[in-house]
Amino acid sequence: MEGGKPSLTLVYQAVQALYHDPDPSGKERASLWLGELQRSMFAWEISDQLLQLKQDVESCYFAAQTMKMKIQTSFYELPPETHNALRDSLLTHIQNLKDLSPIIVTQLALAIADLALQMASWKGCVHTLIEKYNDDISSMPFLIEILTVLPEEVHSRSLRIGANRRTEIIEDLAFYSNTVVSLLTTCVEKTGNDEKMLIKVFRCLGSWFNLGVLDSNFMASNQLLMVLFQILQRDETSTNLHEAASDCVCSALYAIENVDTNMALALQLFQGVLTLETAYHMAVAREDVDKVLNYCRIFTELCETFLETTVRTPGQGMGDLRTLELLLICAGHPQYEVVEISFNFWYRLGEHLYKINDANLHNIFRPYIQRLLHCLARHCQLDPDHEGIPEETDDFGEFRMRVSDLVKDVIFLVGSMECFSQLYSTLKDGNPPWEVTEAVLFIMASIAKSVDPENNPTVAEVLQQVVLLPESVHMAVRYTSIELVGEMSEVVDRNPRFLDPVLNYLMKGLREKPLASAAAKAIHNICSVCRDHMAQHFQGLLEIARSLDSFALSTEAAVGLLKGTALVLARLPLEKIAECLSDLCAVQVLALKKLLAEQSRNGKSADPTVWLDRLAVIFRHTNPIVENGQTHPCQKVIQEIWPVLSETLNAHQADNRIVERCCRCLRFAVRCVGKGSASLLQPLVTQMVSVYQVYPHSCFLYLGSILVDEYGMEEGCRQGLLDMLQALCMPTFQLLEQPNSLRNHPDTVDDLFRLATRFVQRSPVTLLGSSIVVHIIQCAIAATSLDHRDANCSVMKFIRDLIHTGVGNDHEEDFELRKRLIGQAMEQNGQQLINQLLHSCCFCLPPYTLPDVAEVLWEIMLFDRPMFCRWLENALKGLPKQTAGGAVTVTHKQLTEFHKQVTSAEECKQVCWAIREFTRLYR
């Protein structure tokens, strides 16, 4: 902070402004100033003083939160000799402030827990805390709070205490776990039915279960378990206590996932949960939905825990199928939120049975899945007084989508055809109300694709009946029937006689506003699957495409229709394609011309993205089969359209969103005709480079990578493409050299290295022999620490592919030149690259990026193993060996072991495993 340490009065005023200033800008200023204070060194002393003053809740909360944050993120700022004083001070504060506010107690408890985890000299912290406060009943709430958050913080992402320290702590906590449980038991005995204390006890017990350090035999005979189930069985238990007890039981069930090694506790929990069925029915009778949801969570967790036992020994011991009965009882509850809790279990059960693929097992579980499907069909029913089409984006709509996914996953147990036929017969034989019909059609649509369309009279009959549905039926029934027809496009493809009636039926839907988007989606599906049969209907599709905006379509549905039309267009005879493509594009091109004319007339620019997106989808999916030597039928059309796209790009060059859409459209145009777009190369590159100097939109870099991919192998284009790369790199480096700019511009990083990678793949010598390559490599090394999935992936791919050019394709004539150039690049940058990669792995990158890093290290090793060994050894010497709290991060033995594992690896995945294990020491 500038100007030295601020006065307490000033800090106090800022906190008051943060909470009480009626002016939002005043709050904002206070928030920024206090944030800056929290990041400064003064924050330690000031928050300690504020906690001593105990002036009011707000200032104490700010101070407690600051203390927690500083310990979590800036513990290294304190010299080791101050650690004991900090601990004693925090314990004094929590005792003095215990009655002020529970949220302050929680923040201080977190601060104490985070300190204990990082402070290696504080041995047996659990023991010392219990010794200190055990006999004072008024200290019990905050002691239990500390003991609750301590196990929760062990795996905290923000602490990065490292695997060695974490193992040491977990062993320590396991050693004292029985003492903690005994403390909680005594606490329950002393306080009796004090609800607040019981909630605290259960939260604490659940936290220790979650860490997995409790002795399961000790817990199996512990009184707390009995108290838990008594509370859950009692009808008069309050909602909050019921939830805390339920959470605790779920944590216990999760902790014994390995049933065989926790047999005694598993049996107690299994029997305990089975006693809750009566209590569940009581909660249903009282319409207490909160409790019903809690019981369903417990039953689901029970089934998840004993899943393997149930599949291994169904109906025997703890494979008792009453567990599934409990879930089906819950599935019968009228509120869909209850059954939804169990979806993950049913999915996992289906996955298990699918892998085992045992007909006898399938027969045992089939009746349960049939009953589940029956319940799901009922839950999917709309309200009888619902008007219009089903809502897809509200909670119930999302629930129905999840039902659809689940049905697809478990249908193999029942048999798609059998289920489809049964559902159809309920409609055919009965005369159900509209909401039942709609729900049945919805489930049928979910499984339609998995039904064999060959010689299947039922499927054919369903299709025949659906397209005959009168317009007088409920709108929702028509909507879902249209979706069903779209899902049955395979059947239409095998039975072309249905094509005309199906298209007529869908055209009726297309003309009605509520049904238009669903009908468009179904037509898109039919076009995708029945491309050859649809060729005869191309003129009809063209008519629809020409008058697209006369239908009430969502953007997505309109684009989908054009996609379907383009897919069919690609199946027409080659000589017809150019004319038809021109017709299909004409509407969008005219619209763009009109917008440009209006803009030049009145200076107002209207948004062209709708038309650009439509052109993009046409180019993307018009991919006819063109023999070698034939002129691409789309070439002429794209040349005619280029001036309009170029003008649109110029007119909107400052608007990133519109430029992105232009580039996307051009990308698909280039991809569509491949080398046939050569005449556009010069004007397109000139325009890209010129606009990029003023407005560095990253999509130009991406478009550049497409051009390199298409033309990089052409001798006559290489120098021009290299000039393009150099011209695009200059403004890019200027942008990325600013503070934090790698983090602020991940798209630019991503697209720059896509472009560079394409060069490496298509014309490595051109790039390696240029002056720009040094700067690109330096930028790549800096960007290896960027925690952004796509950008980091592009950077790693570039480095990997670059080094690989010195190893791969060794039969080609330029191999020796490539090898020499890569050797020079590695000589200059190898040590720096390894240092940075190792630092990034340990301190910056999430675990999912490690396979990419491993591939880079593997390539360097393939290129020059002896040099790599030396570079890695030097990089390891530079890593910190201890944490700020004095704990050992990495031992000499661990460093040596890691070096050996990596340098002696025989395949890349061994390098990856070694890095994964090693970086845990720093997380």
Side-chain angles (χ1 to χ4, degrees):
M1 283 191 102
E2 289 174 25
K5 179 184 157 192
S7 70
L8 283 182
T9 314
L10 190 59
V11 177
Y12 183 69
Q13 283 170 353
V15 172
Q16 288 303 303
L18 180 68
Y19 286 102
H20 303 296
D21 193 329
D23 175 16
S25 64
K27 278 186 190 300
E28 180 69 20
R29 279 196 305 278
S31 175
L32 289 171
W33 189 84
L34 289 168
E36 202 181 323
L37 169 64
Q38 285 182 319
R39 287 186 292 277
S40 75
M41 275 294 288
F42 307 122
W44 295 102
E45 192 184 342
I46 285 172
S47 41
D48 188 51
Q49 290 172 336
L50 285 173
L51 289 166
Q52 275 172 19
L53 283 173
K54 200 178 169 179
Q55 198 152 0
D56 57 21
V57 171
E58 285 105 341
S59 61
C60 288
Y61 176 71
F62 168 74
Q65 188 200 31
T66 302
M67 204 53 111
K68 177 204 73 177
M69 200 179 90
K70 293 297 284 182
I71 290 170
Q72 276 186 351
T73 60
S74 311
F75 189 53
Y76 60 86
E77 291 176 353
L78 294 180
E81 60 272 18
T82 61
H83 293 172
N84 284 341
L86 174 64
R87 176 192 63 196
D88 298 343
S89 165
L90 286 171
L91 291 172
T92 306
H93 290 321
I94 201 166
Q95 188 150 27
N96 291 342
L97 298 164
K98 63 178 183 276
D99 301 322
L100 187 61
S101 160
I103 56 169
I104 293 171
V105 170
T106 300
Q107 292 298 312
L108 287 171
L110 282 164
I112 292 163
D114 290 341
L115 177 65
L117 296 177
Q118 294 181 91
M119 188 174 154
S121 59
W122 187 1
K123 305 286 183 196
C125 64
V126 171
H127 181 67
T128 53
L129 288 167
I130 291 176
E131 286 271 285
K132 190 174 171 78
Y133 300 112
N134 190 15
D135 298 330
D136 176 15
I137 196 76
S138 71
S139 299
M140 205 51 78
F142 76 74
L143 172 61
I144 292 179
E145 188 65 31
I146 298 171
L147 294 175
T148 302
V149 297
L150 185 63
E152 289 171 353
E153 290 294 287
V154 169
H155 292 289
S156 163
R157 289 269 175 87
S158 48
L159 283 183
R160 301 188 79 99
I161 54 176
N164 287 335
R165 176 67 179 152
R166 196 171 284 111
T167 304
E168 185 188 335
I169 289 160
I170 289 171
E171 285 170 0
D172 196 46
L173 294 183
F175 184 77
Y176 291 111
S177 63
N178 289 359
T179 314
V180 172
V181 175
S182 301
L183 170 81
L184 296 177
T185 312
T186 312
C187 191
V188 170
E189 285 166 1
K190 280 184 185 170
T191 55
N193 290 331
D194 176 352
E195 186 179 305
K196 279 187 178 171
M197 189 52 90
L198 279 172
I199 289 172
K200 280 186 172 299
V201 166
F202 292 155
R203 267 194 60 222
C204 185
L205 184 61
S207 174
W208 284 72
F209 266 127
N210 286 336
L211 191 61
V213 291
L214 294 182
D215 177 339
S216 65
N217 290 326
F218 179 73
M219 282 311 303
S221 55
N222 188 275
Q223 192 196 339
L224 278 181
L225 217 55
M226 213 165 63
V227 175
L228 263 177
F229 284 111
Q230 282 170 353
I231 281 171
L232 288 169
Q233 284 159 356
R234 277 211 302 267
D235 184 35
E236 61 275 15
T237 299
S238 75
T239 304
N240 290 345
L241 180 56
H242 196 277
E243 184 171 3
S246 301
D247 288 344
C248 188
V249 170
C250 287
S251 296
L253 285 164
Y254 185 76
I256 56 149
E257 195 100 57
N258 190 345
V259 175
D260 298 338
T261 56
N262 297 291
M263 209 43 113
L265 180 56
L267 191 59
Q268 289 298 319
L269 289 169
F270 187 86
Q271 290 169 342
V273 174
L274 287 181
T275 64
L276 300 179
E277 187 183 339
T278 315
Y280 168 82
H281 288 300
M282 197 64 181
V284 173
R286 294 201 184 281
E287 296 186 2
D288 190 336
V289 178
D290 289 332
K291 285 187 181 176
V292 166
L293 290 167
N294 287 336
Y295 289 125
C296 188
R297 281 195 299 128
I298 294 172
F299 298 157
T300 302
E301 202 62 64
L302 177 77
C303 289
E304 296 250 18
T305 296
F306 292 97
L307 172 61
E308 291 191 15
T309 315
T310 310
V311 172
R312 198 168 59 232
T313 54
Q316 296 167 39
M318 285 187 275
D320 193 329
L321 294 172
R322 276 185 299 168
T323 55
L324 298 191
E325 289 291 346
L326 288 175
L327 281 198
L328 288 172
I329 290 169
C330 292
H333 190 276
Q335 285 194 276
Y336 69 82
E337 292 89 348
V338 179
V339 70
E340 196 170 13
I341 291 170
S342 65
F343 278 14
N344 189 55
F345 164 74
W346 293 113
Y347 165 73
R348 281 186 61 206
L349 175 65
E351 199 177 34
H352 258 66
L353 294 171
Y354 187 78
K355 280 179 187 164
I356 295 169
N357 195 16
D358 177 331
N360 293 330
L361 265 185
H362 288 196
N363 289 335
I364 292 170
F365 289 98
R366 183 173 294 124
Y368 294 94
I369 299 296
Q370 282 170 327
R371 285 163 60 194
L372 174 69
L373 291 174
H374 183 74
C375 290
L376 292 176
R378 200 180 64 253
H379 279 297
C380 283
Q381 289 173 20
L382 298 163
D383 285 337
D385 56 359
H386 178 92
E387 290 179 6
I389 63 171
E391 273 292 331
E392 289 187 354
T393 50
D394 63 1
D395 288 348
F396 185 55
E398 285 178 7
F399 166 74
R400 290 192 2 147
M401 293 321 295
R402 283 194 282 276
V403 167
S404 176
D405 291 339
L406 178 60
V407 169
K408 287 176 180 135
D409 287 330
V410 299
I411 195 64
F412 72 93
L413 279 164
V414 180
S416 307
M417 193 56 236
E418 189 184 327
C419 183
F420 198 81
S421 302
Q422 278 178 359
L423 289 165
Y424 177 54
S425 64
T426 60
L427 300 182
K428 189 176 159 188
D429 303 338
N431 186 18
W434 75 263
E435 67 275 13
V436 175
T437 302
E438 190 278 335
V440 168
L441 290 172
F442 176 78
I443 301 290
M444 286 170 76
S446 303
I447 57 176
K449 277 193 175 140
S450 59
V451 176
D452 182 10
E454 288 286 348
N455 307 321
N456 200 324
T458 308
V459 176
E461 190 182 333
V462 168
L463 201 51
Q464 224 162 356
Q465 291 305 311
V466 167
V467 299
L468 292 174
L469 275 175
E471 288 178 33
S472 57
V473 299
H474 194 286
M475 187 63 80
V477 174
R478 291 180 63 199
Y479 180 88
T480 305
S481 70
I482 286 171
E483 289 197 320
L484 173 59
V485 170
E487 292 296 305
M488 292 177 76
S489 43
E490 292 275 355
V491 181
V492 179
D493 192 43
R494 306 290 166 87
N495 302 278
R497 67 181 189 282
F498 288 130
L499 190 57
D500 284 359
V502 161
L503 289 176
N504 289 337
Y505 181 66
L506 295 178
M507 278 309 296
K508 276 185 205 162
L510 196 61
R511 292 191 190 97
E512 286 187 54
K513 189 177 176 180
L515 305 174
S517 290
K521 192 178 167 192
I523 292 171
H524 166 204
N525 278 358
I526 302 277
C527 289
S528 303
V529 176
C530 318
R531 289 168 74 170
D532 292 322
H533 298 307
M534 282 298 292
Q536 58 182 330
H537 293 280
F538 182 76
Q539 280 311 118
L541 290 171
L542 191 56
E543 287 308 313
I544 295 171
R546 279 180 178 147
S547 51
L548 212 48
D549 294 313
S550 65
F551 305 109
L553 296 174
S554 67
T555 309
E556 188 189 356
V559 166
L561 252 180
L562 286 174
K563 176 186 169 182
T565 308
L567 288 169
V568 175
L569 166 63
R571 285 290 204 266
L572 297 181
L574 277 187
E575 64 276 7
K576 287 192 176 176
I577 288 179
E579 185 191 341
C580 292
L581 178 63
S582 188
D583 288 347
L584 188 56
C585 295
V587 179
Q588 345 304 327
V589 174
L590 281 171
L592 288 173
K593 282 180 176 170
K594 191 176 165 194
L595 293 183
L596 289 166
E598 280 172 16
Q599 189 174 347
S600 65
R601 242 192 346 266
N602 58 24
K604 287 182 183 169
S605 62
D607 189 345
T609 52
V610 168
W611 313 107
L612 291 169
D613 287 351
R614 290 180 184 181
L615 278 177
V617 81
I618 294 168
F619 295 145
R620 185 178 188 174
H621 297 285
T622 306
N623 39 22
I625 298 154
V626 182
E627 302 294 331
N628 272 348
Q630 287 181 305
T631 305
H632 199 290
C634 306
Q635 191 175 319
K636 182 168 164 285
V637 181
I638 286 168
Q639 280 168 352
E640 288 166 2
I641 291 173
W642 157 248
V644 182
L645 293 177
S646 172
E647 253 185 278
T648 304
L649 179 53
N650 260 344
H652 297 277
Q653 56 183 279
D655 188 323
N656 182 56
R657 189 177 63 92
I658 296 174
V659 171
E660 211 163 61
R661 299 310 231 291
C662 280
C663 286
R664 189 167 169 272
C665 192
L666 287 162
R667 161 192 160 195
F668 289 124
V670 170
R671 286 292 196 210
C672 174
V673 292
K675 305 280 185 296
S677 59
S679 62
L680 302 186
L681 195 54
Q682 188 63 49
L684 174 54
V685 168
T686 306
Q687 186 172 6
M688 281 164 58
V689 168
S690 144
V691 175
Y692 193 77
Q693 304 301 318
V694 190
Y695 301 108
H697 304 301
S698 73
C699 51
F700 286 126
L701 300 170
Y702 188 91
L703 186 53
S705 74
I706 303 295
L707 296 176
V708 173
D709 195 35
E710 290 291 341
Y711 294 99
M713 310 279 277
E714 303 288 311
E715 192 59 55
C717 298
R718 284 175 175 171
Q719 187 55 46
L721 290 170
L722 181 64
D723 293 343
M724 171 193 80
L725 174 68
Q726 290 177 319
L728 292 174
C729 275
M730 289 310 152
T732 307
F733 292 151
Q734 281 170 7
L735 178 72
L736 296 181
E737 277 161 8
Q738 290 160 16
N740 287 329
S741 56
L742 288 170
R743 198 179 315 134
N744 296 340
H745 301 283
D747 293 348
T748 301
V749 176
D750 182 14
D751 292 332
L752 171 68
F753 287 102
R754 278 173 190 269
L755 170 57
T757 304
R758 289 292 191 205
F759 241 110
V760 169
Q761 292 164 345
R762 292 287 174 259
S763 185
V765 174
T766 311
L767 179 65
L768 287 165
S770 70
S771 57
I772 197 77
V773 73
V774 183
H775 305 287
I776 295 176
I777 291 171
Q778 280 298 312
C779 185
I781 292 172
T784 54
S785 60
L786 182 58
D787 177 8
H788 182 280
R789 189 184 287 265
D790 293 340
N792 194 277
C793 184
S794 288
V795 171
M796 296 299 175
K797 184 169 171 47
F798 164 71
I799 301 172
R800 185 191 71 205
D801 286 7
L802 184 76
I803 297 163
H804 186 71
T805 55
V807 183
N809 298 330
D810 53 3
H811 57 281
E812 292 177 4
E813 59 186 50
D814 64 353
F815 174 65
E816 287 305 324
L817 176 57
R818 279 187 276 126
K819 189 176 174 183
R820 183 167 56 76
L821 290 168
I822 291 295
Q824 288 168 1
M826 290 309 292
E827 208 174 306
Q828 290 167 2
N829 304 288
Q831 184 67 68
Q832 188 194 354
L833 173 59
I834 301 286
N835 291 353
Q836 183 73 8
L837 283 172
L838 204 57
H839 184 273
S840 299
C841 285
C842 293
F843 302 108
C844 310
L845 298 179
Y848 67 75
T849 59
L850 297 183
D852 294 339
V853 178
E855 287 187 10
V856 173
L857 295 179
W858 177 249
E859 285 297 340
I860 301 172
M861 203 154 50
L862 287 182
F863 183 73
D864 188 343
R865 199 174 282 250
M867 274 310 293
F868 173 76
C869 293
R870 285 199 291 281
W871 288 335
L872 182 60
E873 187 181 339
N874 293 336
L876 288 169
K877 283 177 185 167
L879 287 175
K881 313 295 186 284
Q882 259 197 347
T883 65
V888 174
T889 308
V890 61
T891 63
H892 180 71
K893 186 183 174 198
Q894 285 169 326
L895 288 169
T896 316
E897 186 62 31
F898 172 64
H899 188 276
K900 185 182 167 190
Q901 283 173 340
V902 173
T903 53
S904 62
E906 288 176 10
E907 49 184 345
C908 185
K909 64 180 175 189
Q910 292 171 321
V911 177
C912 187
W913 289 334
I915 296 177
R916 238 182 242 290
E917 284 308 307
F918 184 74
T919 52
R920 286 197 180 112
L921 300 171
Y922 288 90
R923 288 186 196 285

